[in-house]
């Protein structure tokens, strides 16, 4: 009954149209009142939830990504990607995906990736004879890479949701191979489509022009070096690398590329502060919600439920995947990570599944939810940027969903893809 009151109140509040953060917070207070938990204890959990140094990683990475997204970096990433794949048949669709790989490793956001790369690539693809809905589908599916690869904001949120069991550095390293594998699978599928539909080839970029494009894109690409190189070398922590990346992004955008106007800087900062505020309020309320779940012993109840279905971890992982795919279609990614991680992590650890590996499974599932109706935020952005109806974009997305499901199964049942790089780089030794 306790769990029904807590979860039921959350569902009702969401159905009534409450913002997700406030729905989570109010349901936490309702649950605490139901079990006679002092409300002062919930307030303490609210403050404890955001009183963490590692949380500084989020605003810095969000600001760095926002600055680079506004400063012409997307166009330069597209030009740089064209060097490698633009000359292949269907090259513009491949350029779209490869550019998303580079840009996602700078912004850490699928939304920013879709909006920035889409605004550059979708008109170009349409001009070369690609259907506009197909271009939107390529853009949206390629942006899922940003959920996995560093500096993914959602990797940071998962690390926080584990209560320190998994470090941000471990999640960053774990996401590199899954993200690249996702991009490679999408590239292979687009090559198949290009041959079947006879999409056009591009031209080979002359060497001298390629060198010029590289040096033009280098300043933006160096952000990736700062983030990964600083963490792996031990020079920076994840939070410190985020701060340095923010300073570098500002320097490159305002003094090297100089495509962003100083008079618009305060508007960018305002948008960033608004986004960060929403995230922080959500994290605070989710911490309170999680504490109420703990008092209700909900994680243990969920663990017992899954173990009653089967003791085979592969079957349970399949059940968890199905559940995450469903809820990922109904709610945004960050609140689901904060709410479900404390519930599902005990289930998976009891079966011997590594917490970092489970983090990748969760991110892929919920990343698919970002491009799936009815609440797929990235899908809405792709539809808006492409000026196509949602139904047309979803129809074009169907083969991409198949590829994403295959990638999900591989990542779920081949844990070494997620765990090898963190172990080799020494940022994670396994099992927390």
């Amino acid at each position: 009954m306790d769990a029904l009151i807590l979860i039921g109140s959350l569902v009702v509040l969401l159905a009534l149209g409450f913002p997700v953060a406030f729905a989570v917070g109010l349901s936490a207070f309702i649950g605490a009142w139901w079990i006679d938990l002092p409300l002062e204890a919930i307030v303490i959990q609210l403050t404890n939830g955001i009183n963490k140094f590692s949380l500084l990683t989020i605003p810095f990475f969000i600001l760095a990504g926002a600055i680079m997204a506004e400063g012409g970096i997307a166009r330069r990433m597209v030009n740089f990607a064209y060097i490698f794949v633009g000359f292949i048949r269907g090259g513009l669709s491949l350029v779209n995906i490869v550019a998303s790989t580079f840009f996602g490793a700078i912004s850490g956001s699928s939304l920013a990736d879709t909006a920035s790369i889409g605004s550059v690539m979708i008109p170009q693809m349409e001009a070369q004879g690609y259907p506009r809905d197909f271009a939107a589908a390529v853009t949206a599916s390629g942006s899922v890479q940003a959920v996995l690869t560093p500096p993914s904001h959602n990797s940071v949120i998962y690390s926080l949701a584990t209560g320190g069991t998994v470090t941000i550095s471990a999640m960053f390293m774990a996401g590199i191979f899954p993200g690249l594998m996702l991009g490679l699978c999408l590239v292979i599928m687009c090559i198949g489509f290009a041959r079947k539909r006879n999409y056009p080839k591009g031209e080979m970029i002359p060497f001298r022009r390629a060198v010029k494009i590289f040096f033009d894109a280098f300043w933006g690409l160096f952000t990736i070096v700062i983030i990964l190189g600083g963490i792996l070398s031990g020079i920076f922590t994840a939070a410190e690398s985020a701060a340095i990346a923010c300073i570098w992004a500002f320097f490159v955008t305002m003094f090297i590329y100089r495509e962003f106007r100083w008079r618009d800087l305060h508007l960018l900062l305002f948008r960033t502060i608004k986004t960060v505020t929403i995230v922080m309020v959500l994290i605070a309320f989710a911490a309170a919600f999680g504490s109420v779940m703990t008092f209700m012993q909900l994680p243990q109840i969920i663990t017992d439920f899954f173990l009653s279905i089967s003791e085979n971890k592969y079957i349970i992982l399949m059940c968890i995947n199905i559940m995450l795919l469903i809820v990922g279609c109904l709610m945004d990614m960050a609140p689901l990570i904060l709410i479900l991680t404390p519930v599902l992590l005990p289930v998976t650890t009891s079966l011997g599944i590594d917490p970092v590996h489970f983090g990748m499974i969760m991110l892929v599932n919920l990343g698919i939810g970002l491009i799936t109706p009815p609440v797929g935020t990235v899908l809405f952005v792709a539809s808006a940027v492409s000026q196509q109806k949602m139904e047309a974009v979803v129809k074009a997305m169907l083969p991409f969903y198949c590829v994403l499901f295959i990638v999900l199964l591989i990542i779920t049942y081949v844990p070494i893809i997620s765990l090898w790089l963190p172990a080799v780089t020494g940022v994670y030794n396994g099992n927390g």
Side-chain angles (χ1 to χ4, degrees):
M1 187 63 181
D2 293 345
L4 181 62
I5 293 296
L6 181 67
I7 303 301
S9 61
L10 175 60
V11 172
V12 170
L13 290 169
L14 289 173
L16 290 174
F18 276 72
V20 173
F22 293 110
V24 171
L26 284 173
S27 58
F29 279 103
I30 292 170
W33 168 78
W34 177 259
I35 62 174
D36 294 325
L37 184 67
L39 298 184
E40 293 85 352
I42 301 301
V43 175
I44 291 173
Q45 290 300 321
L46 288 174
T47 56
N48 288 343
I50 55 175
N51 188 24
K52 297 174 182 177
F53 179 79
S54 56
L55 273 176
L56 289 174
T57 309
I58 295 176
F60 282 132
F61 276 138
I62 290 176
L63 180 57
I67 292 172
M68 295 299 256
E70 298 283 349
I73 185 66
R75 175 172 53 80
R76 289 172 171 85
M77 293 301 103
V78 167
N79 292 338
F80 185 62
Y82 199 97
I83 297 173
F84 302 102
V85 294
F87 58 91
I88 302 171
R89 183 169 298 281
L92 281 185
S93 60
L94 310 187
V95 168
N96 194 323
I97 295 166
V98 175
S100 289
T101 304
F102 293 135
F103 192 80
I106 294 172
S107 70
S109 167
S110 291
L111 283 171
D113 194 329
T114 301
S116 300
I117 298 298
S119 61
V120 176
M121 285 303 308
I122 292 175
Q124 288 189 31
M125 291 178 70
E126 184 184 29
Q128 292 295 320
Y130 294 82
R132 204 170 180 86
D133 54 358
F134 175 76
V138 172
T139 305
S141 57
S143 73
V144 177
Q145 295 173 92
V147 170
L148 304 175
T149 55
S152 165
H153 309 154
N154 294 291
S155 289
V156 177
I157 292 172
Y158 175 79
S159 173
L160 296 170
T162 65
T165 302
V166 175
T167 64
I168 297 171
S169 301
M171 286 300 295
F172 279 1
M173 291 300 106
I176 292 176
F177 281 169
L180 292 176
M181 184 181 72
L182 171 59
L184 178 62
C185 290
L186 291 174
V187 163
I188 292 171
M189 190 192 73
C190 285
I191 290 174
F193 270 118
R195 291 180 177 177
K196 182 179 179 180
R197 299 176 180 178
N198 199 31
Y199 288 145
K201 276 186 177 182
E203 296 181 357
M204 183 80 73
I205 300 291
F207 178 75
R208 291 183 65 178
R209 187 178 167 209
V211 171
K212 184 179 179 181
I213 290 172
F214 167 74
F215 280 109
D216 191 35
F218 169 79
W219 304 103
L221 291 169
F222 194 71
T223 311
I224 304 172
V225 177
I226 292 173
I227 295 168
L228 293 182
I231 293 174
L232 290 177
S233 65
I235 297 174
F236 308 135
T237 64
E240 291 166 347
S241 72
I244 299 298
C246 194
I247 295 171
W248 177 255
F250 178 80
F251 173 74
V252 169
T253 299
M254 306 307 294
F255 295 100
I256 296 180
Y257 292 156
R258 293 184 292 183
E259 294 185 12
F260 187 75
R261 296 175 297 185
W262 284 89
R263 66 170 179 261
D264 293 333
L265 184 59
H266 71 286
L267 297 175
L268 184 146
L269 292 173
F270 175 77
R271 291 195 299 270
T272 303
I273 291 170
K274 184 178 178 180
T275 301
V276 170
T277 301
I278 293 170
V279 173
M280 292 303 177
V281 169
L282 176 59
I283 290 173
F285 282 139
F289 190 89
S291 67
V292 174
M293 285 196 300
T294 302
F295 278 109
M296 291 180 173
Q297 297 184 327
L298 191 56
Q300 184 59 49
I301 294 171
I302 298 294
T303 300
D304 293 341
F305 168 74
F306 276 107
L307 292 178
S308 69
I309 296 174
S310 173
E311 294 185 0
N312 186 317
K313 68 178 181 179
Y314 301 110
I315 294 176
I316 292 179
L317 279 174
M318 181 61 71
C319 294
I320 290 175
N321 277 339
I322 294 171
M323 185 192 76
L324 289 174
L325 286 171
I326 293 172
V327 297
C329 299
L330 303 174
M331 191 185 295
D332 206 7
M333 189 169 188
L336 284 175
I337 293 173
L338 291 166
I339 293 170
L340 294 179
T341 299
V343 174
L344 296 178
L345 195 60
V347 178
T348 56
T349 52
S350 68
L351 296 169
I353 298 166
D354 192 279
V356 170
H357 178 214
F358 177 65
M360 284 297 109
I361 295 172
M362 177 173 274
L363 291 183
V364 177
N365 274 291
L366 301 183
I368 294 173
L370 290 176
I371 56 173
T372 308
V375 190
T377 51
V378 171
L379 192 62
F380 282 105
V381 173
S383 176
V385 172
S386 65
Q387 298 179 349
Q388 292 287 291
K389 291 183 177 180
M390 181 71 68
E391 295 83 355
V393 178
V394 171
K395 185 177 180 181
M397 282 290 304
L398 293 178
F400 293 89
Y401 290 135
C402 294
V403 171
L404 289 166
F405 291 147
I406 291 170
V407 171
L408 171 61
L409 290 175
I410 294 172
I411 291 172
T412 299
Y413 295 117
V414 188
I416 194 171
I417 296 173
S418 303
L419 299 178
W420 182 79
L421 194 56
V424 168
T425 55
V427 298
Y428 185 72
N429 295 319
N431 296 316

